[in-house]
Amino acid sequence: SIGLKSMAAITKTTNNLKDYRANSLWRLTLRRILRQRNAMIGLGILGFLLLVTVFAPVLAPYDPNQVLIGVEEGVFRRQPPCIHAFGCPADQPQHILGIDGNVRDEFSRVIFGTRVSLFIGFSTIGFAILIGTLLGAIAGYFGGAVDNIIMRILDVLMAFPSLLLAIAIVTVLGPGLENALVAIGIVTIPVYARVIRGSVLSVKETNYVSASRAMGASAWHILFQRILPNVLPPLIVQATLGIGTAILDAAALSFLGLGAQPPLAEWGTMLGVERNQVFTAPHLVFFPGIAIMITVLAFNLMGDGLRDAIDPRLSQIKHG
């Protein structure tokens, strides 16, 4: 009885110390993030994009799918940008980014395209993280045959170029935004499974995990309550970088006609529809491309800053 009480006291002390260290680590990491210029720039751009997403109906002067023939006089297909402050005639309707091939306001479509692209990034990576974390955690903790089976299946997925595999999956499922999201999520799962598996392998032999195991805690309790909360930092970094990649992949699928379908205002679809007008109406290709670039840049800057904040040695090597 005395031995059990002593063991319980040791376990409680170990857990309290672990919680204290974890809180201190999160506070230290937050301070490091605030000192990372890349992370702050990326966070600022992302904050701006989120505001555009929330206030899109207010910022956009037109419905993104509204055809302006018969609504405004003087508009025509692929009309170049017209800004009154920059010398455009006052009697001509103002369209900041011009008119697309279906006589719709390009600015409104780019604004509403922010919603679609951010939804694509967060939903696909959320799906990949959920499945990948579960598979990687089970493989890393239980090991043996379970580890071999899970990781060999994921190795098969990683053997194919991600975009080509996504194209094959969408071809089987059928074109559409939902199927494109599923395809991108599936090809991204192995990345997060490998990150979690490696972290679980290093954490499962620590003292506080051994103490929980000695107290009779179940394997699932140890895995989800003791191990996973301590392997989140590398997962967060990988997820931040992965969102930008997911947005690019979705834009590529939409460009090929396999992702979002017209008339949905999605940047990749907008590029695909007007790809042959790069010389005659370059604004219809330039502005959606710039929007994709800025969004991906924001997530890449955040991921780079988070990586340096979580592991300062990388920053020292980079600038050493």
Coordinates of all heavy atoms in Angstrom, one line a residue, residues 75-136:
V75 N -20.1 48.0 -71.2 CA -19.2 46.9 -70.8 C -19.2 45.9 -72.0 O -20.1 45.8 -72.7 CB -19.8 46.2 -69.5 CG1 -19.7 47.1 -68.3 CG2 -21.1 45.7 -69.7
F76 N -18.0 45.3 -72.0 CA -17.8 44.3 -73.1 C -16.9 43.2 -72.6 O -16.2 43.4 -71.6 CB -17.3 44.9 -74.4 CG -16.0 45.8 -74.2 CD1 -14.8 45.2 -74.3 CD2 -16.1 47.1 -73.9 CE1 -13.6 45.9 -74.1 CE2 -15.0 47.9 -73.7 CZ -13.7 47.3 -73.8
R77 N -16.8 42.1 -73.3 CA -16.0 41.0 -72.9 C -14.5 41.3 -72.8 O -14.0 42.0 -73.7 CB -16.2 39.8 -73.9 CG -17.6 39.2 -73.9 CD -17.7 38.1 -75.0 NE -16.8 37.0 -74.7 CZ -16.3 36.2 -75.6 NH1 -16.7 36.3 -76.9 NH2 -15.6 35.2 -75.2
R78 N -13.9 40.9 -71.7 CA -12.5 41.0 -71.4 C -12.1 42.5 -71.5 O -11.0 42.9 -72.0 CB -11.7 40.2 -72.4 CG -12.0 38.7 -72.3 CD -11.1 37.9 -73.2 NE -11.4 36.5 -72.9 CZ -12.2 35.7 -73.7 NH1 -12.8 36.3 -74.8 NH2 -12.5 34.5 -73.5
Q79 N -12.9 43.3 -71.0 CA -12.6 44.8 -70.9 C -11.5 45.0 -69.9 O -11.5 44.4 -68.8 CB -13.9 45.5 -70.4 CG -13.7 47.0 -70.2 CD -14.9 47.7 -69.7 OE1 -16.0 47.2 -70.0 NE2 -14.8 48.8 -69.0
P80 N -10.5 45.8 -70.3 CA -9.4 46.0 -69.4 C -9.8 46.8 -68.1 O -10.9 47.4 -68.1 CB -8.4 46.9 -70.2 CG -9.2 47.5 -71.3 CD -10.4 46.5 -71.6
P81 N -9.0 46.8 -67.1 CA -9.3 47.6 -65.9 C -9.7 49.0 -66.1 O -9.0 49.7 -67.0 CB -8.1 47.4 -65.0 CG -7.4 46.2 -65.5 CD -7.7 46.1 -67.0
C82 N -10.6 49.5 -65.4 CA -11.1 50.9 -65.5 C -11.2 51.5 -64.1 O -12.0 51.1 -63.3 CB -12.4 51.0 -66.2 SG -13.1 52.7 -66.3
I83 N -10.3 52.4 -63.8 CA -10.2 53.1 -62.5 C -10.3 54.6 -62.7 O -9.4 55.2 -63.3 CB -9.0 52.7 -61.7 CG1 -8.8 51.2 -61.6 CG2 -9.0 53.3 -60.3 CD1 -7.6 50.7 -60.9
H84 N -11.4 55.2 -62.2 CA -11.6 56.6 -62.5 C -10.4 57.5 -61.9 O -10.1 58.5 -62.6 CB -12.9 57.1 -61.9 CG -14.1 56.4 -62.5 ND1 -15.3 56.3 -61.9 CD2 -14.2 55.8 -63.8 CE1 -16.2 55.7 -62.8 NE2 -15.5 55.4 -63.9
A85 N -9.9 57.1 -60.8 CA -8.8 57.9 -60.2 C -7.6 57.9 -61.0 O -6.7 58.7 -60.9 CB -8.5 57.4 -58.8
F86 N -7.4 56.9 -61.9 CA -6.2 56.7 -62.7 C -6.5 57.2 -64.2 O -5.7 56.8 -65.1 CB -5.7 55.3 -62.7 CG -5.2 54.9 -61.4 CD1 -5.0 53.5 -61.1 CD2 -4.8 55.8 -60.4 CE1 -4.4 53.1 -59.9 CE2 -4.3 55.4 -59.2 CZ -4.1 54.1 -59.0
G87 N -7.5 57.9 -64.4 CA -7.8 58.5 -65.7 C -8.8 57.9 -66.6 O -9.0 58.3 -67.7
C88 N -9.5 56.8 -66.1 CA -10.5 56.2 -66.8 C -11.7 57.1 -67.0 O -12.1 57.8 -66.0 CB -10.9 54.9 -66.2 SG -12.2 53.9 -67.1
P89 N -12.3 57.3 -68.2 CA -13.4 58.2 -68.3 C -14.5 58.0 -67.3 O -14.9 56.9 -67.0 CB -13.9 57.9 -69.7 CG -12.8 57.3 -70.4 CD -12.0 56.6 -69.4
A90 N -15.0 59.1 -66.8 CA -16.1 59.0 -65.7 C -17.4 58.4 -66.2 O -18.1 57.9 -65.4 CB -16.3 60.4 -65.1
D91 N -17.6 58.5 -67.5 CA -18.9 58.0 -68.0 C -18.8 56.5 -68.3 O -19.8 55.9 -68.7 CB -19.3 58.7 -69.3 CG -18.2 58.6 -70.4 OD1 -17.1 58.2 -70.1 OD2 -18.5 58.9 -71.6
Q92 N -17.6 55.9 -68.1 CA -17.4 54.5 -68.3 C -17.5 53.8 -66.9 O -16.9 54.2 -65.9 CB -16.1 54.2 -68.9 CG -15.8 52.7 -69.3 CD -14.5 52.5 -70.0 OE1 -14.0 53.5 -70.6 NE2 -14.0 51.3 -70.0
P93 N -18.2 52.6 -66.8 CA -18.4 51.9 -65.5 C -17.0 51.5 -65.0 O -16.1 51.1 -65.7 CB -19.2 50.7 -65.8 CG -20.0 51.1 -67.0 CD -19.1 52.0 -67.8
Q94 N -16.8 51.7 -63.7 CA -15.5 51.4 -63.0 C -15.4 49.9 -62.7 O -16.3 49.4 -62.0 CB -15.3 52.3 -61.8 CG -14.0 52.0 -61.1 CD -13.7 52.9 -60.0 OE1 -12.9 53.9 -60.2 NE2 -14.2 52.7 -58.8
H95 N -14.4 49.3 -63.2 CA -14.1 47.9 -62.8 C -12.6 47.8 -62.6 O -11.8 47.8 -63.5 CB -14.5 46.9 -63.9 CG -16.0 46.9 -64.2 ND1 -16.9 46.2 -63.4 CD2 -16.8 47.6 -65.1 CE1 -18.1 46.4 -63.8 NE2 -18.1 47.2 -64.9
I96 N -12.3 47.6 -61.3 CA -10.9 47.8 -60.9 C -10.0 46.8 -61.6 O -8.8 47.1 -62.0 CB -10.8 47.6 -59.3 CG1 -11.6 48.7 -58.6 CG2 -9.3 47.6 -58.9 CD1 -11.7 48.6 -57.1
L97 N -10.4 45.5 -61.7 CA -9.6 44.5 -62.3 C -10.1 44.1 -63.7 O -9.7 43.1 -64.3 CB -9.5 43.2 -61.4 CG -9.0 43.5 -60.0 CD1 -8.8 42.1 -59.3 CD2 -7.6 44.2 -60.1
G98 N -11.1 44.8 -64.3 CA -11.6 44.6 -65.6 C -12.7 43.6 -65.6 O -13.3 43.3 -64.5
I99 N -13.1 43.1 -66.8 CA -14.2 42.2 -67.0 C -13.7 40.9 -67.6 O -12.8 41.0 -68.5 CB -15.2 42.9 -68.0 CG1 -15.8 44.2 -67.4 CG2 -16.4 42.0 -68.3 CD1 -16.6 44.0 -66.2
D100 N -14.3 39.8 -67.2 CA -13.8 38.5 -67.7 C -14.5 38.2 -69.0 O -15.3 38.9 -69.6 CB -13.9 37.4 -66.7 CG -15.4 37.0 -66.4 OD1 -16.3 37.6 -67.0 OD2 -15.6 36.1 -65.6
G101 N -14.3 37.0 -69.5 CA -14.8 36.6 -70.8 C -16.3 36.4 -70.8 O -16.9 36.3 -71.9
N102 N -16.9 36.2 -69.7 CA -18.4 36.1 -69.6 C -19.0 37.4 -69.1 O -20.2 37.4 -68.6 CB -18.7 34.9 -68.6 CG -18.4 33.6 -69.2 OD1 -18.7 33.3 -70.3 ND2 -17.6 32.8 -68.5
V103 N -18.3 38.5 -69.2 CA -18.8 39.8 -68.8 C -19.2 39.9 -67.3 O -20.3 40.3 -67.0 CB -20.0 40.3 -69.7 CG1 -20.2 41.8 -69.6 CG2 -19.7 39.9 -71.2
R104 N -18.3 39.4 -66.5 CA -18.5 39.5 -65.0 C -17.3 40.3 -64.4 O -16.2 40.3 -65.0 CB -18.5 38.1 -64.4 CG -19.7 37.2 -64.9 CD -19.5 35.8 -64.4 NE -18.4 35.1 -65.0 CZ -18.1 33.8 -65.0 NH1 -19.0 33.0 -64.4 NH2 -17.1 33.3 -65.5
D105 N -17.6 40.9 -63.3 CA -16.6 41.8 -62.7 C -15.4 40.9 -62.1 O -15.7 40.0 -61.2 CB -17.2 42.6 -61.6 CG -16.2 43.5 -60.9 OD1 -15.7 44.5 -61.6 OD2 -15.9 43.3 -59.7
E106 N -14.2 41.1 -62.6 CA -13.1 40.3 -62.2 C -12.7 40.5 -60.7 O -12.3 39.6 -60.0 CB -11.9 40.6 -63.1 CG -10.7 39.7 -62.9 CD -10.8 38.3 -63.4 OE1 -11.9 38.0 -64.0 OE2 -9.9 37.5 -63.3
F107 N -12.8 41.7 -60.3 CA -12.5 42.1 -58.9 C -13.4 41.3 -57.9 O -12.9 40.7 -56.9 CB -12.6 43.6 -58.7 CG -12.3 44.0 -57.3 CD1 -11.0 43.9 -56.7 CD2 -13.3 44.5 -56.4 CE1 -10.8 44.3 -55.4 CE2 -13.1 44.8 -55.1 CZ -11.8 44.8 -54.6
S108 N -14.6 41.3 -58.2 CA -15.6 40.5 -57.3 C -15.3 39.1 -57.3 O -15.3 38.4 -56.3 CB -17.0 40.8 -57.8 OG -17.4 42.1 -57.8
R109 N -14.9 38.5 -58.4 CA -14.6 37.1 -58.5 C -13.3 36.8 -57.8 O -13.1 35.7 -57.1 CB -14.5 36.6 -60.0 CG -15.8 36.7 -60.7 CD -15.8 36.2 -62.1 NE -15.4 34.8 -62.2 CZ -16.2 33.7 -61.9 NH1 -17.5 34.0 -61.5 NH2 -15.8 32.5 -62.0
V110 N -12.3 37.6 -57.9 CA -11.0 37.4 -57.1 C -11.3 37.5 -55.6 O -10.8 36.7 -54.8 CB -10.0 38.5 -57.5 CG1 -8.8 38.4 -56.6 CG2 -9.5 38.2 -59.0
I111 N -12.1 38.4 -55.2 CA -12.5 38.6 -53.8 C -13.1 37.3 -53.2 O -12.8 36.8 -52.2 CB -13.4 39.8 -53.6 CG1 -12.6 41.1 -53.8 CG2 -14.0 39.8 -52.1 CD1 -11.5 41.4 -52.8
F112 N -14.2 36.8 -53.9 CA -14.9 35.7 -53.5 C -14.0 34.4 -53.7 O -14.2 33.4 -53.0 CB -16.2 35.5 -54.2 CG -17.3 36.3 -53.6 CD1 -17.6 37.6 -54.1 CD2 -18.1 35.8 -52.6 CE1 -18.6 38.3 -53.5 CE2 -19.2 36.5 -52.1 CZ -19.4 37.8 -52.5
G113 N -13.0 34.4 -54.6 CA -12.1 33.3 -54.7 C -11.3 33.1 -53.5 O -10.8 32.0 -53.2
T114 N -11.1 34.1 -52.7 CA -10.3 34.0 -51.4 C -11.0 33.0 -50.5 O -10.4 32.2 -49.8 CB -10.2 35.4 -50.7 OG1 -9.7 36.3 -51.6 CG2 -9.3 35.3 -49.5
R115 N -12.4 33.1 -50.4 CA -13.1 32.1 -49.6 C -12.9 30.7 -50.0 O -12.6 29.8 -49.2 CB -14.6 32.5 -49.7 CG -15.1 33.7 -48.9 CD -16.6 33.8 -49.0 NE -17.1 34.8 -48.1 CZ -18.4 35.0 -47.9 NH1 -19.3 34.4 -48.6 NH2 -18.8 35.9 -47.0
V116 N -13.0 30.5 -51.3 CA -12.8 29.1 -51.8 C -11.4 28.6 -51.6 O -11.3 27.4 -51.1 CB -13.1 29.1 -53.3 CG1 -13.0 27.7 -53.9 CG2 -14.5 29.6 -53.6
S117 N -10.4 29.4 -51.8 CA -9.0 28.9 -51.7 C -8.7 28.6 -50.2 O -8.0 27.6 -49.9 CB -8.0 29.9 -52.2 OG -8.2 30.0 -53.6
L118 N -9.1 29.5 -49.3 CA -8.8 29.2 -47.9 C -9.6 28.0 -47.4 O -9.1 27.2 -46.6 CB -9.2 30.5 -47.0 CG -8.3 31.7 -47.2 CD1 -8.7 32.8 -46.3 CD2 -6.8 31.3 -47.0
F119 N -10.8 27.9 -47.9 CA -11.6 26.7 -47.5 C -10.9 25.4 -48.0 O -10.8 24.4 -47.3 CB -13.0 26.8 -48.1 CG -13.8 25.5 -48.0 CD1 -14.4 25.1 -46.8 CD2 -14.0 24.6 -49.1 CE1 -15.1 23.9 -46.6 CE2 -14.7 23.5 -49.0 CZ -15.2 23.1 -47.7
I120 N -10.4 25.5 -49.2 CA -9.6 24.3 -49.8 C -8.4 24.0 -48.9 O -8.2 22.8 -48.5 CB -9.2 24.6 -51.2 CG1 -10.4 24.6 -52.2 CG2 -8.2 23.6 -51.7 CD1 -10.1 25.1 -53.6
G121 N -7.6 25.0 -48.6 CA -6.4 24.8 -47.8 C -6.7 24.2 -46.4 O -6.1 23.1 -46.0
F122 N -7.6 24.8 -45.7 CA -7.9 24.3 -44.3 C -8.6 23.0 -44.3 O -8.3 22.1 -43.4 CB -8.7 25.4 -43.5 CG -7.9 26.6 -43.2 CD1 -8.2 27.8 -43.7 CD2 -6.9 26.5 -42.3 CE1 -7.5 28.9 -43.4 CE2 -6.2 27.6 -41.9 CZ -6.4 28.8 -42.5
S123 N -9.6 22.8 -45.2 CA -10.3 21.5 -45.2 C -9.5 20.3 -45.6 O -9.5 19.3 -44.9 CB -11.6 21.6 -46.1 OG -11.2 21.9 -47.4
T124 N -8.7 20.5 -46.6 CA -7.9 19.3 -47.1 C -6.8 19.0 -46.1 O -6.6 17.8 -45.7 CB -7.2 19.6 -48.4 OG1 -6.5 20.9 -48.3 CG2 -8.2 19.7 -49.5
I125 N -6.1 20.0 -45.5 CA -5.1 19.7 -44.5 C -5.7 19.2 -43.2 O -5.1 18.3 -42.6 CB -4.2 21.0 -44.3 CG1 -3.5 21.3 -45.6 CG2 -3.2 20.7 -43.2 CD1 -2.7 20.2 -46.2
G126 N -6.9 19.7 -42.9 CA -7.5 19.2 -41.7 C -7.9 17.7 -41.8 O -7.7 16.9 -40.9
F127 N -8.4 17.3 -43.0 CA -8.7 15.9 -43.2 C -7.4 15.1 -43.2 O -7.3 14.0 -42.6 CB -9.3 15.8 -44.6 CG -9.5 14.4 -45.1 CD1 -10.4 13.5 -44.6 CD2 -8.6 13.9 -46.1 CE1 -10.5 12.2 -45.1 CE2 -8.7 12.6 -46.6 CZ -9.7 11.8 -46.1
A128 N -6.3 15.6 -43.9 CA -5.0 14.8 -43.9 C -4.4 14.7 -42.5 O -3.9 13.7 -42.1 CB -4.1 15.5 -44.8
I129 N -4.5 15.8 -41.7 CA -4.0 15.7 -40.3 C -4.7 14.7 -39.5 O -4.1 13.9 -38.7 CB -4.0 17.1 -39.7 CG1 -3.0 18.0 -40.3 CG2 -3.8 17.0 -38.2 CD1 -3.0 19.4 -39.8
L130 N -6.1 14.7 -39.6 CA -6.9 13.8 -38.8 C -6.5 12.4 -39.1 O -6.2 11.6 -38.1 CB -8.3 14.1 -39.1 CG -9.3 13.2 -38.3 CD1 -9.2 13.4 -36.8 CD2 -10.8 13.4 -38.8
I131 N -6.5 12.0 -40.3 CA -6.2 10.6 -40.7 C -4.7 10.3 -40.5 O -4.3 9.2 -40.0 CB -6.6 10.3 -42.2 CG1 -8.1 10.7 -42.4 CG2 -6.4 8.8 -42.5 CD1 -9.0 9.9 -41.5
G132 N -3.8 11.2 -40.9 CA -2.4 11.0 -40.8 C -1.9 10.9 -39.4 O -1.1 10.0 -39.1
T133 N -2.5 11.7 -38.5 CA -2.1 11.7 -37.1 C -2.5 10.3 -36.5 O -1.8 9.7 -35.7 CB -2.8 12.8 -36.3 OG1 -2.3 14.1 -36.9 CG2 -2.4 12.7 -34.8
L134 N -3.7 9.9 -36.8 CA -4.2 8.6 -36.2 C -3.3 7.5 -36.7 O -2.9 6.6 -35.9 CB -5.7 8.4 -36.6 CG -6.3 7.1 -36.1 CD1 -6.4 7.2 -34.6 CD2 -7.7 7.0 -36.7
L135 N -3.1 7.4 -38.0 CA -2.3 6.3 -38.5 C -0.8 6.4 -38.0 O -0.2 5.3 -37.6 CB -2.3 6.3 -40.0 CG -3.6 6.1 -40.7 CD1 -3.5 6.2 -42.2 CD2 -4.1 4.7 -40.4
G136 N -0.2 7.5 -38.0 CA 1.1 7.7 -37.5 C 1.3 7.4 -36.1 O 2.3 6.8 -35.6

